[in-house]
Amino acid sequence: MIKPAGKIGVFDSGLGGLAVLREITKRMPEYGYLYLGDNLRAPYGDKSQEEIFKHTLAGVEWLFANGAEIVILACNTASANALRRIQREILPLEYPDKRVLGIIIPTVESMENFSRSGHIGVLATEATVASGVFEVEMEKHNPDIRTICQSGGMLVNLIERGKDQKILAAEIKSVVGGLLDRDGLIDTVILGCTHYALIAGQIERALPKNVKVVGQGGIVAAKLSDYMDRHSEIRVRLENRFLIDFYTTSGNEDIKKLMAQFYGEDSRVSTVEYDVS
Ligand code: DGL
């Protein structure tokens, strides 16, 4: 019998998805993983919806071509601006047996559990904020919650560049200040851009003590594990052997080092190239 060799693909514009990958692999060490960061084209957050769609689709197709049976868009910007089109227009025609999942709906469904005041701030990229998806989905899920989305400005750029600490601290202060000025009752801040989870401690320190910071890694890992339990048609195609292969579209050695450093293990990272048309 041929053993199934399928993998779980995890995609992000760059380094942010590593924070999600870490939680997923901790929770489900029984599978094999492919991580792809499109660092060459990051950040996505200041791009048009059409560009984000094209870049995301190219990454997803690369992961499919390299063995992924299911891909998690560990990127809110891609989840907000490309997921639905991929699910509706691409998968049914070209990859009817494969799956692509986003991270915004699982986050929205869990957000209320963290807040007492019902006033929740979300820090996200410009393109995610512009999409309005967090507010729209929360309104559907629980209209009693007030969701205040604030752009994280230059944060993704600073993280991808290896963060100049002084500039980073100033940017965090201005972003956080802008959010709290809009609603004094916010008691929970959701890191609605996976990159921000990599500087969660610094964001936490910039906030008042009574405000909780919540990243998406744990939420997404729990929801994915639940999804796997319910979808045996995907599970049976996955290889039951733990491994993670890390890929980036960037040839920059510093990015590779950052990737290994952010994942927290001695990980080998390979550069890949593919067409984005
Ligand atoms: N990590 C991504 C997110 O969760 C986007 C970062 C970017 O490329 O702007 O939105």
Side-chain angles (χ1 to χ4, degrees):
M1 203 180 92
I2 302 170
K3 284 213 179 130
K7 310 274 191 309
I8 297 177
V10 177
F11 176 78
D12 182 41
S13 62
L15 301 168
L18 293 167
V20 176
L21 178 73
R22 203 187 298 138
E23 295 302 321
I24 294 178
T25 54
K26 220 194 278 168
R27 180 138 193 153
M28 290 182 289
E30 64 271 36
Y31 299 119
Y33 295 86
L34 301 176
Y35 183 84
L36 175 62
D38 188 14
N39 303 76
L40 182 65
R41 283 167 280 263
Y44 281 12
D46 56 9
K47 294 190 168 39
S48 70
Q49 193 164 41
E50 190 58 29
E51 277 177 300
I52 296 167
F53 169 72
K54 278 190 196 159
H55 295 347
T56 304
L57 178 60
V60 166
E61 292 196 303
W62 185 89
L63 285 162
F64 283 164
N66 286 277
E69 291 295 331
I70 178 167
V71 171
I72 317 307
L73 299 182
C75 175
N76 295 271
T77 310
S79 299
N81 293 282
L83 175 67
R84 193 164 294 181
R85 238 175 110 185
I86 291 176
Q87 286 176 334
R88 290 190 182 165
E89 296 174 21
I90 309 295
L91 296 187
L93 288 176
E94 315 220 7
Y95 307 97
D97 296 330
K98 309 236 183 202
R99 297 288 176 269
V100 179
L101 305 179
I103 59 174
I104 292 183
I105 307 271
T107 305
V108 166
E109 287 171 355
S110 307
M111 271 160 64
E112 61 194 343
N113 301 335
F114 299 98
S115 173
R116 293 177 127 221
S117 70
H119 292 236
I120 302 179
V122 178
L123 297 179
T125 66
E126 204 60 56
T128 301
V129 173
S131 77
V133 63
F134 272 96
E135 294 95 326
V136 170
E137 293 301 334
M138 185 49 97
E139 181 64 24
K140 285 192 226 160
H141 177 69
N142 182 349
D144 293 337
I145 300 283
R146 189 168 135 71
T147 312
I148 304 97
C149 289
Q150 174 84 11
S151 161
M154 292 297 291
L155 290 180
V156 171
N157 261 309
L158 295 170
I159 294 165
E160 287 280 323
R161 284 212 313 257
K163 54 181 179 182
D164 176 318
Q165 288 302 330
K166 255 210 189 130
I167 303 177
L168 183 69
E171 187 69 354
I172 290 174
K173 197 166 164 222
S174 126
V175 166
V176 159
L179 175 66
L180 295 181
D181 280 352
R182 289 172 57 198
D183 186 330
L185 295 178
I186 291 173
D187 67 351
T188 306
V189 171
I190 304 287
L191 304 179
C193 167
T194 53
H195 277 70
Y196 305 164
L198 303 171
I199 52 163
Q202 282 145 286
I203 294 177
E204 204 159 30
R205 285 194 287 282
L207 282 161
K209 288 250 174 322
N210 64 318
V211 180
K212 211 180 307 151
V213 171
V214 179
Q216 294 169 293
I219 296 171
V220 173
K223 294 274 181 183
L224 181 61
S225 157
D226 183 49
Y227 180 93
M228 286 300 181
D229 288 345
R230 289 181 287 110
H231 291 269
S232 57
E233 79 283 3
I234 299 287
R235 223 172 46 229
V236 293
R237 303 210 298 272
L238 298 178
E239 182 176 30
N240 278 116
R241 186 169 66 95
F242 182 67
L243 81 132
I244 314 176
D245 289 330
F246 294 88
Y247 298 97
T248 171
T249 51
S250 166
N252 184 335
E253 286 307 317
D254 290 342
I255 287 282
K256 294 186 180 180
K257 265 188 225 140
L258 280 175
M259 234 184 198
Q261 179 188 319
F262 279 135
Y263 188 72
E265 273 172 34
D266 188 19
S267 20
R268 248 174 19 114
V269 184
S270 313
T271 300
V272 293
E273 279 176 40
Y274 51 79
D275 267 354
V276 176
S277 49

